Amino acid sequence: MQLTLKKYQLPLKHTFTISRESHDFQDSLVVCLSQDGKTGYGESTSNPYYQITFESMQAEIEAIRTELEDFVLETPEAFHSFLVERKLSNFAICALDLAAHDLYGKLQHKPLFELWGTSNQNYPITNYTIGLASIEKMLEKMQEMPWPIYKIKLGTPDDVQIVSELRKHTDAVFRVDANCAWDAATAIKNAKALKELGVEFLEQPLKADDWDGLQALKAESVLPIIADESCIVEEDVKRCAGYFDGINIKLTKCGGLTPALRMIKEAKSLGLKVMVGCMTESTVGISAIAQLLPQLDYVDMDGAMLLKEDIATGVQILEGGKVIFPTTGGSGVELL
């Protein structure tokens, strides 16, 4: 395979704030893998919480460039195993794994969802994320993008008030993501008020390792609880079954589509709802997530929708959440 690495600084429409950080741009690594006249594209974004930068991912991949370029892609799964043996970070593995899947599908002339034996006739609608800001700014962002489902980022002393004010202006479904900012008592109390305000579920309200708090919350919460920071890799799924009602899989965190497919299967076998989320990727990463849609209960794939400018074509998300899938193979990604 031929390997090319590209760095992008993705400009956001609005400052994106969650309980622990804010940013106006998102650094992104795009991996291009070419073989037999086709090119596949994969993406991972930087993340300060996990101490991942473009430069750190670039260094990992460049260190094994010769091995990568000597590798002949036969299946994405074999390639993923090769990457795991090289002990790369999951973020770097993700970008390579997504590129390999896109390339494989293009070589087979079939979209990934079809290669996986699924149909794209029915799928969940993505939520649209409203980052933390003043109530006035959050309302402005919501009214700028009328949408059937919103994910509301929280993590302040006024969280219930924020949702109450936003509810006055829309009948849309609300999902709440506190990004580890609450304790169990706060989450139990807030859940009661938020259920009355039409919130569907709470995503990762407590710290990732607060298992005692999560156990108390699971017992008393009137809303379903979805794991995010508590469910990073495959080994986390089984443990989460005792503390959560569902899991949110991030491709960058788990290492790409290969492990995500296994996590989805295991979660369903344990009776967990399954969501896949994004990390403010461009259409490169979002198009890979879209291939999983037929297997999901919920999805958060609004990353490209939050950008001022995109860098690729692929899956399209239309007004109201309808998805237009590319007609080309793989994830259907092409760089602009």
Side-chain angles (χ1 to χ4, degrees), residues 273-334:
K273 294 290 188 181
V274 179
M275 179 177 183
V276 168
C278 63
M279 303 284 276
T280 325
E281 292 99 331
S282 72
T283 288
V284 178
I286 298 303
S287 295
I289 293 173
Q291 301 298 314
L292 295 168
L293 279 173
Q295 304 183 53
L296 307 180
D297 299 295
Y298 316 116
V299 68
D300 174 15
M301 49 181 266
D302 64 346
M305 298 165 65
L306 302 175
L307 303 179
K308 281 183 184 177
E309 299 173 12
D310 206 345
I311 61 171
T313 59
V315 70
Q316 298 177 62
I317 303 173
L318 305 183
E319 184 176 347
K322 179 178 173 62
V323 175
I324 303 297
F325 289 83
T327 55
T328 54
S331 300
V333 175
E334 297 295 338

Side-chain angles (χ1 to χ4, degrees), residues 101-102 104-112 291 326-333:
H101 271 91
D102 189 30
Y104 180 76
K106 287 171 177 172
L107 290 170
Q108 299 295 317
H109 305 288
K110 290 184 178 181
L112 295 174
Q291 301 298 314
T327 55
T328 54
S331 300
V333 175

